[in-house]
Amino acid sequence: MVSVEPERPAPSPAGSAKGPVRRTVLLRLAGGLVVLAAVAAAFGFELPAGGTGKLDPVAPFLLAVAVIVFVSHLLGTVLERLHQPPVLGEILGGLLLGPSVLTSLWPGASKWLFTPTVVSALGTVAQLGLVTFMFLLGCELGRGGVRTSRGVVALVSIGAIGLPFLGGAGLALVGGDALAGDSPNRGAYVVFFGLALSITALPVLARVLLDLGIEGTRIGTLALASAASGDGLIWLALTVVLGLSGGVSVITTAGIGVALALITMLWVRPALAAMVRAAEKQAFAGRFLLPVLLVGALGYAAVTHLMGLHPAIGAFLFGAVVPREVPVVEDLKRQLQGFVIMVLLPLFFAGIGLTTSVGLIGGSIAHWGLFVAVLLTAVATKFAGVVGFARLASLPRRDAWRLGALMNCRGVTELVVAAIGYQHHLISALGLTMLVLVALITTAATRPLIHLMGLPIDE
């Protein structure tokens, strides 16, 4: 099973004792947080640090982190009880703390909580969360296809990428100045927007399949395998696009990418495999391997950043060559997932939320029309591509439509891609906002669409 999200207990039945207990705990936590914020507002933020007359930035940063983690997981719990992936609520938590809601409704609180110093610190920590998440995502690449025909996976992947890419590239040309960032390379912007609409969120898709109880079925396995192979191609293409947006020639970008890939496959991958085999024989294997994997992921992230690419690319590449199905490695990844999912990713979502503002669409009919066009294009082209090519692969019509609904799940991966495009000035703040909303809506619609099409799904 593919998942970079830790297992969460299923929601308790309404009549059980756990439900009221959980609500009581959440209410107490909320009350404690309010009291803590009130005390900090009344005293803490006015105390100088070390007699310098300047505010110590540690306390505001820690308070902001506490608020972000609490709000994100509170909404995650609420969304989970509504039979949605918890990560959807965590993303919404980040949006609620940004200009879309908090700044609009209570600007004083937003300014007090998210000072420039705090925002800068959050951005740095969020990058660490993003890099670690991409490492974990790379570790899961390639799973799920063992029991599925490679030919069918290839056809479905082509359909899932091809039509959405063409639709996104066409919209990028139509959207023009509204969606494009400051990058002078308009070709890179057009290609990037096509890739952004082509993505499928592998980790969230895995969680949806698990919640539906269809992760081991033919459709579930095919969806995971197609999402993994398709996203791998998209990240490869995104590497080239980022190189072009940085002013690097195609030949140079390709040369750097090929050299790094060859070094990784021919030297790093065998070295990691040998290291894991040796460590398995030692009682302290976990204590030794976890730092090695983290250092490798962060080192690769730094190398690709120095190359002019995004650090997430390097972390993803390193994760892709980590040995799979090894008990000690799987245990280490589960340990790492807990902290990443519970703390670091909410900070990344908050960073997206502080940049995203639904108000950018505002009352402009043109902006709303463009957003509707982006959403409909994303959904329709993904359905058309997946269903059409699944039918070419001789899948039954009903299964092909179910597969289209599953592959429309964009989730966290869409946010990661959108954030990278915004950081590289390929898309504007309005373009970022639209892609974030597309990710939220398509992810929220996945499970209801599957139920609408009828369950159970046959093996």
Side-chain angles (χ1 to χ4, degrees):
M1 182 193 69
V2 181
S3 179
V4 296
E5 184 175 359
E7 294 286 343
R8 300 175 189 238
S12 303
S16 69
K18 292 184 179 180
V21 171
R22 181 178 297 178
R23 286 193 293 271
T24 301
V25 170
L26 289 174
L27 287 173
R28 288 178 177 175
L29 283 174
L33 189 62
V34 170
V35 172
L36 179 62
V39 171
F43 301 104
F45 279 18
E46 297 179 1
L47 291 176
T52 62
K54 295 183 179 179
L55 175 67
D56 184 350
V58 175
F61 170 73
L62 294 177
L63 181 60
V65 171
V67 171
I68 291 168
V69 172
F70 176 78
V71 171
S72 295
H73 290 294
L74 176 62
L75 289 178
T77 301
V78 171
L79 266 291
E80 187 177 30
R81 296 180 72 86
L82 296 176
H83 307 292
Q84 287 287 352
V87 70
L88 195 62
E90 293 158 15
I91 296 172
L92 282 173
L95 292 178
L96 290 178
L97 293 171
S100 297
V101 179
L102 182 61
T103 304
S104 299
L105 299 179
W106 196 0
S110 178
K111 185 178 179 180
W112 173 77
L113 185 62
F114 298 110
T115 64
T117 303
V118 169
V119 170
S120 177
L122 286 174
T124 302
V125 179
Q127 286 302 306
L128 176 61
L130 174 58
V131 166
T132 314
F133 173 76
M134 290 304 298
F135 162 69
L136 292 171
L137 185 59
C139 288
E140 302 298 334
L141 189 68
R143 295 189 180 192
V146 177
R147 294 167 292 171
T148 293
S149 167
R150 292 183 179 179
V152 176
V153 171
L155 278 174
V156 173
S157 299
I158 291 172
I161 295 174
L163 282 183
F165 174 79
L166 293 176
L171 276 175
L173 293 172
V174 173
D177 295 335
L179 298 176
D182 299 331
S183 174
N185 194 326
R186 286 306 174 101
Y189 148 70
V190 171
V191 174
F192 169 82
F193 208 84
L195 293 175
L197 291 197
S198 306
I199 204 80
T200 297
L202 182 62
V204 181
L205 174 60
R207 176 59 193 247
V208 170
L209 293 174
L210 180 64
D211 289 344
L212 291 172
I214 59 173
E215 71 278 7
T217 64
R218 179 181 59 173
I219 293 301
T221 303
L222 178 57
L224 287 177
S226 301
S229 59
D231 285 4
L233 290 175
I234 289 174
W235 283 109
L236 179 63
L238 187 59
T239 302
V240 177
V241 171
L242 295 180
L244 295 176
S245 69
V248 184
S249 68
V250 176
I251 296 177
T252 303
T253 302
I256 291 173
V258 169
L260 184 60
L262 286 176
I263 291 172
T264 304
M265 297 299 296
L266 298 179
W267 183 68
V268 176
R269 185 174 185 173
L272 276 176
M275 190 180 302
V276 169
R277 285 195 300 270
E280 279 188 297
K281 302 175 183 178
Q282 306 296 327
F284 55 88
R287 223 182 315 162
F288 168 73
L289 278 179
L290 184 58
V292 169
L293 295 179
L294 281 176
V295 169
L298 297 175
Y300 258 70
V303 167
T304 52
H305 185 63
L306 291 173
M307 289 179 177
L309 304 175
H310 197 278
I313 301 291
F316 181 82
L317 177 61
F318 182 78
V321 297
V322 171
R324 298 178 176 85
E325 308 299 339
V326 179
V328 64
V329 175
E330 296 299 318
D331 184 56
L332 290 175
K333 286 192 296 185
R334 280 192 294 270
Q335 294 178 36
L336 190 57
Q337 286 167 9
F339 185 70
V340 172
I341 300 297
M342 293 296 170
V343 179
L344 295 183
L345 265 189
L347 299 185
F348 170 70
F349 297 149
I352 295 287
L354 292 173
T355 310
T356 303
S357 175
V358 178
L360 290 173
I361 303 179
S364 170
I365 296 178
H367 285 175
W368 278 107
L370 184 58
F371 168 65
V372 171
V374 171
L375 178 61
L376 291 180
T377 299
V379 175
T381 55
K382 183 73 82 169
F383 260 111
V386 171
V387 173
F389 279 79
R391 292 291 290 154
L392 283 178
S394 301
L395 260 71
R397 186 184 305 275
R398 193 176 185 185
D399 285 350
W401 279 96
R402 287 165 168 167
L403 190 61
L406 290 170
M407 296 292 287
N408 249 301
C409 181
R410 287 174 170 85
V412 183
T413 315
E414 177 80 271
L415 263 66
V416 172
V417 172
I420 291 174
Y422 184 73
Q423 291 169 7
H424 283 258
H425 307 285
L426 292 173
I427 56 174
S428 63
L430 177 63
L432 173 66
T433 298
M434 290 187 180
L435 289 178
V436 170
L437 292 177
V438 166
L440 285 170
I441 293 171
T442 54
T443 304
T446 301
R447 182 165 177 153
L449 281 175
I450 290 296
H451 279 290
L452 186 65
M453 294 174 183
L455 285 173
I457 294 178
D458 297 332
E459 294 285 346

Short mmCIF file of all heavy atoms in Angstrom, two decimals, residues 26-65:
data_model
loop_
_atom_site.label_atom_id
_atom_site.label_comp_id
_atom_site.label_asym_id
_atom_site.label_seq_id
_atom_site.Cartn_x
_atom_site.Cartn_y
_atom_site.Cartn_z
N LEU A 26 -10.70 18.41 22.62
CA LEU A 26 -10.53 19.51 21.68
C LEU A 26 -11.00 20.83 22.27
O LEU A 26 -10.38 21.87 22.08
CB LEU A 26 -11.30 19.20 20.38
CG LEU A 26 -10.69 18.09 19.50
CD1 LEU A 26 -11.62 17.80 18.33
CD2 LEU A 26 -9.32 18.50 19.01
N LEU A 27 -12.14 20.79 22.99
CA LEU A 27 -12.64 22.02 23.61
C LEU A 27 -11.67 22.54 24.66
O LEU A 27 -11.43 23.75 24.77
CB LEU A 27 -14.02 21.77 24.22
CG LEU A 27 -15.18 21.60 23.23
CD1 LEU A 27 -16.44 21.20 23.96
CD2 LEU A 27 -15.40 22.90 22.45
N ARG A 28 -11.11 21.64 25.44
CA ARG A 28 -10.15 22.06 26.46
C ARG A 28 -8.89 22.63 25.82
O ARG A 28 -8.34 23.63 26.28
CB ARG A 28 -9.80 20.88 27.37
CG ARG A 28 -10.95 20.48 28.30
CD ARG A 28 -10.57 19.29 29.15
NE ARG A 28 -11.63 18.94 30.09
CZ ARG A 28 -11.61 17.88 30.89
NH1 ARG A 28 -10.56 17.07 30.86
NH2 ARG A 28 -12.61 17.64 31.72
N LEU A 29 -8.44 21.99 24.75
CA LEU A 29 -7.27 22.51 24.05
C LEU A 29 -7.54 23.89 23.47
O LEU A 29 -6.71 24.78 23.54
CB LEU A 29 -6.86 21.54 22.93
CG LEU A 29 -6.13 20.27 23.36
CD1 LEU A 29 -5.93 19.36 22.16
CD2 LEU A 29 -4.79 20.61 23.99
N ALA A 30 -8.74 24.06 22.90
CA ALA A 30 -9.10 25.36 22.33
C ALA A 30 -9.14 26.42 23.42
O ALA A 30 -8.63 27.53 23.24
CB ALA A 30 -10.46 25.26 21.63
N GLY A 31 -9.76 26.08 24.56
CA GLY A 31 -9.81 27.04 25.66
C GLY A 31 -8.44 27.40 26.17
O GLY A 31 -8.13 28.58 26.43
N GLY A 32 -7.57 26.39 26.30
CA GLY A 32 -6.21 26.66 26.76
C GLY A 32 -5.44 27.53 25.79
O GLY A 32 -4.68 28.42 26.19
N LEU A 33 -5.64 27.29 24.49
CA LEU A 33 -4.95 28.10 23.49
C LEU A 33 -5.41 29.55 23.53
O LEU A 33 -4.61 30.48 23.41
CB LEU A 33 -5.21 27.50 22.10
CG LEU A 33 -4.38 28.09 20.96
CD1 LEU A 33 -2.90 27.86 21.21
CD2 LEU A 33 -4.79 27.48 19.64
N VAL A 34 -6.71 29.76 23.72
CA VAL A 34 -7.23 31.12 23.82
C VAL A 34 -6.64 31.85 25.03
O VAL A 34 -6.22 33.01 24.94
CB VAL A 34 -8.78 31.10 23.89
CG1 VAL A 34 -9.31 32.49 24.24
CG2 VAL A 34 -9.37 30.62 22.57
N VAL A 35 -6.62 31.16 26.16
CA VAL A 35 -6.04 31.77 27.37
C VAL A 35 -4.57 32.09 27.17
O VAL A 35 -4.08 33.17 27.52
CB VAL A 35 -6.23 30.83 28.59
CG1 VAL A 35 -5.47 31.36 29.79
CG2 VAL A 35 -7.71 30.68 28.91
N LEU A 36 -3.83 31.14 26.56
CA LEU A 36 -2.42 31.35 26.32
C LEU A 36 -2.19 32.55 25.41
O LEU A 36 -1.30 33.38 25.64
CB LEU A 36 -1.81 30.09 25.69
CG LEU A 36 -0.32 30.13 25.34
CD1 LEU A 36 0.50 30.33 26.62
CD2 LEU A 36 0.10 28.87 24.62
N ALA A 37 -3.00 32.66 24.36
CA ALA A 37 -2.86 33.79 23.44
C ALA A 37 -3.16 35.10 24.14
O ALA A 37 -2.50 36.12 23.91
CB ALA A 37 -3.79 33.59 22.24
N ALA A 38 -4.19 35.10 25.01
CA ALA A 38 -4.54 36.31 25.73
C ALA A 38 -3.40 36.77 26.65
O ALA A 38 -3.06 37.95 26.73
CB ALA A 38 -5.82 36.09 26.54
N VAL A 39 -2.80 35.79 27.34
CA VAL A 39 -1.68 36.13 28.23
C VAL A 39 -0.50 36.66 27.42
O VAL A 39 0.13 37.65 27.81
CB VAL A 39 -1.26 34.87 29.04
CG1 VAL A 39 0.03 35.14 29.81
CG2 VAL A 39 -2.37 34.48 29.99
N ALA A 40 -0.21 36.00 26.28
CA ALA A 40 0.90 36.45 25.46
C ALA A 40 0.65 37.85 24.91
O ALA A 40 1.55 38.69 24.86
CB ALA A 40 1.11 35.48 24.30
N ALA A 41 -0.60 38.11 24.52
CA ALA A 41 -0.93 39.43 23.99
C ALA A 41 -0.81 40.50 25.06
O ALA A 41 -0.38 41.63 24.79
CB ALA A 41 -2.36 39.42 23.42
N ALA A 42 -1.19 40.16 26.30
CA ALA A 42 -1.18 41.16 27.37
C ALA A 42 0.22 41.43 27.92
O ALA A 42 0.54 42.54 28.30
CB ALA A 42 -2.10 40.69 28.51
N PHE A 43 1.06 40.38 27.93
CA PHE A 43 2.36 40.53 28.59
C PHE A 43 3.54 40.17 27.69
O PHE A 43 4.46 40.96 27.54
CB PHE A 43 2.41 39.65 29.85
CG PHE A 43 1.33 39.98 30.84
CD1 PHE A 43 0.22 39.16 30.98
CD2 PHE A 43 1.42 41.12 31.63
CE1 PHE A 43 -0.77 39.46 31.89
CE2 PHE A 43 0.42 41.42 32.54
CZ PHE A 43 -0.68 40.60 32.68
N GLY A 44 3.48 38.98 27.13
CA GLY A 44 4.68 38.42 26.50
C GLY A 44 5.26 39.26 25.40
O GLY A 44 6.47 39.39 25.28
N PHE A 45 4.42 39.83 24.54
CA PHE A 45 4.95 40.52 23.38
C PHE A 45 5.47 41.91 23.73
O PHE A 45 5.97 42.61 22.88
CB PHE A 45 3.87 40.64 22.30
CG PHE A 45 3.73 39.39 21.48
CD1 PHE A 45 4.23 38.18 21.95
CD2 PHE A 45 3.11 39.43 20.25
CE1 PHE A 45 4.11 37.03 21.21
CE2 PHE A 45 2.98 38.27 19.51
CZ PHE A 45 3.47 37.08 19.98
N GLU A 46 5.36 42.34 24.99
CA GLU A 46 5.84 43.65 25.36
C GLU A 46 7.13 43.57 26.17
O GLU A 46 7.72 44.59 26.51
CB GLU A 46 4.78 44.38 26.17
CG GLU A 46 3.50 44.64 25.39
CD GLU A 46 2.45 45.35 26.22
OE1 GLU A 46 2.72 45.65 27.40
OE2 GLU A 46 1.35 45.58 25.69
N LEU A 47 7.57 42.36 26.48
CA LEU A 47 8.77 42.21 27.29
C LEU A 47 10.01 42.24 26.41
O LEU A 47 10.09 41.52 25.43
CB LEU A 47 8.73 40.88 28.06
CG LEU A 47 7.68 40.80 29.16
CD1 LEU A 47 7.70 39.39 29.76
CD2 LEU A 47 7.92 41.83 30.25
N PRO A 48 11.01 43.07 26.72
CA PRO A 48 12.23 43.09 25.93
C PRO A 48 13.06 41.85 26.20
O PRO A 48 12.93 41.21 27.24
CB PRO A 48 12.94 44.36 26.41
CG PRO A 48 12.45 44.55 27.82
CD PRO A 48 11.04 44.07 27.83
N ALA A 49 13.92 41.51 25.27
CA ALA A 49 14.76 40.32 25.41
C ALA A 49 16.17 40.74 25.79
O ALA A 49 16.85 41.44 25.04
CB ALA A 49 14.79 39.54 24.08
N GLY A 50 16.61 40.34 26.98
CA GLY A 50 17.98 40.59 27.40
C GLY A 50 18.32 42.05 27.55
O GLY A 50 19.47 42.44 27.41
N GLY A 51 17.32 42.91 27.79
CA GLY A 51 17.59 44.31 28.00
C GLY A 51 17.92 45.07 26.73
O GLY A 51 18.35 46.22 26.77
N THR A 52 17.72 44.46 25.56
CA THR A 52 18.06 45.13 24.32
C THR A 52 16.95 46.04 23.84
O THR A 52 17.13 46.82 22.92
CB THR A 52 18.35 44.09 23.21
OG1 THR A 52 17.16 43.33 23.00
CG2 THR A 52 19.49 43.17 23.62
N GLY A 53 15.76 45.87 24.41
CA GLY A 53 14.62 46.66 23.98
C GLY A 53 13.94 46.08 22.76
O GLY A 53 12.98 46.63 22.25
N LYS A 54 14.44 44.96 22.26
CA LYS A 54 13.85 44.31 21.11
C LYS A 54 13.15 43.03 21.55
O LYS A 54 13.56 42.37 22.49
CB LYS A 54 14.92 43.98 20.07
CG LYS A 54 15.57 45.21 19.45
CD LYS A 54 16.57 44.81 18.38
CE LYS A 54 17.20 46.04 17.75
NZ LYS A 54 18.19 45.68 16.70
N LEU A 55 12.11 42.69 20.83
CA LEU A 55 11.33 41.50 21.16
C LEU A 55 12.09 40.24 20.76
O LEU A 55 12.60 40.13 19.65
CB LEU A 55 10.00 41.56 20.42
CG LEU A 55 9.10 40.33 20.55
CD1 LEU A 55 8.62 40.19 21.98
CD2 LEU A 55 7.92 40.45 19.60
N ASP A 56 12.19 39.31 21.67
CA ASP A 56 12.77 38.01 21.35
C ASP A 56 11.85 37.31 20.36
O ASP A 56 10.68 37.06 20.66
CB ASP A 56 12.91 37.20 22.64
CG ASP A 56 13.61 35.87 22.41
OD1 ASP A 56 13.82 35.51 21.24
OD2 ASP A 56 13.94 35.20 23.40
N PRO A 57 12.33 36.94 19.15
CA PRO A 57 11.44 36.37 18.13
C PRO A 57 11.02 34.93 18.41
O PRO A 57 10.14 34.42 17.72
CB PRO A 57 12.30 36.45 16.85
CG PRO A 57 13.71 36.40 17.34
CD PRO A 57 13.70 37.12 18.66
N VAL A 58 11.63 34.27 19.39
CA VAL A 58 11.34 32.86 19.62
C VAL A 58 9.90 32.66 20.09
O VAL A 58 9.18 31.80 19.58
CB VAL A 58 12.32 32.26 20.65
CG1 VAL A 58 11.93 30.82 20.98
CG2 VAL A 58 13.75 32.30 20.11
N ALA A 59 9.47 33.46 21.08
CA ALA A 59 8.11 33.28 21.62
C ALA A 59 7.03 33.50 20.57
O ALA A 59 6.11 32.68 20.44
CB ALA A 59 7.90 34.22 22.82
N PRO A 60 7.08 34.59 19.77
CA PRO A 60 6.06 34.75 18.71
C PRO A 60 6.08 33.60 17.70
O PRO A 60 5.02 33.16 17.25
CB PRO A 60 6.45 36.07 18.05
CG PRO A 60 7.21 36.81 19.07
CD PRO A 60 7.95 35.77 19.86
N PHE A 61 7.27 33.13 17.36
CA PHE A 61 7.36 32.02 16.40
C PHE A 61 6.71 30.76 16.96
O PHE A 61 5.92 30.09 16.28
CB PHE A 61 8.83 31.75 16.06
CG PHE A 61 9.05 30.50 15.27
CD1 PHE A 61 8.70 30.44 13.92
CD2 PHE A 61 9.58 29.37 15.87
CE1 PHE A 61 8.89 29.27 13.19
CE2 PHE A 61 9.77 28.19 15.14
CZ PHE A 61 9.42 28.15 13.80
N LEU A 62 7.03 30.43 18.21
CA LEU A 62 6.46 29.22 18.83
C LEU A 62 4.95 29.33 18.96
O LEU A 62 4.22 28.34 18.77
CB LEU A 62 7.10 28.98 20.20
CG LEU A 62 8.59 28.62 20.18
CD1 LEU A 62 9.12 28.48 21.60
CD2 LEU A 62 8.84 27.34 19.40
N LEU A 63 4.46 30.52 19.30
CA LEU A 63 3.02 30.70 19.41
C LEU A 63 2.34 30.53 18.05
O LEU A 63 1.29 29.89 17.94
CB LEU A 63 2.70 32.09 19.98
CG LEU A 63 1.22 32.40 20.17
CD1 LEU A 63 0.57 31.41 21.12
CD2 LEU A 63 1.03 33.84 20.67
N ALA A 64 2.96 31.08 17.00
CA ALA A 64 2.41 30.94 15.66
C ALA A 64 2.37 29.47 15.24
O ALA A 64 1.39 29.00 14.66
CB ALA A 64 3.22 31.76 14.66
N VAL A 65 3.45 28.74 15.55
CA VAL A 65 3.48 27.31 15.23
C VAL A 65 2.38 26.57 15.97
O VAL A 65 1.69 25.72 15.40
CB VAL A 65 4.86 26.71 15.57
CG1 VAL A 65 4.83 25.18 15.46
CG2 VAL A 65 5.93 27.28 14.65
#
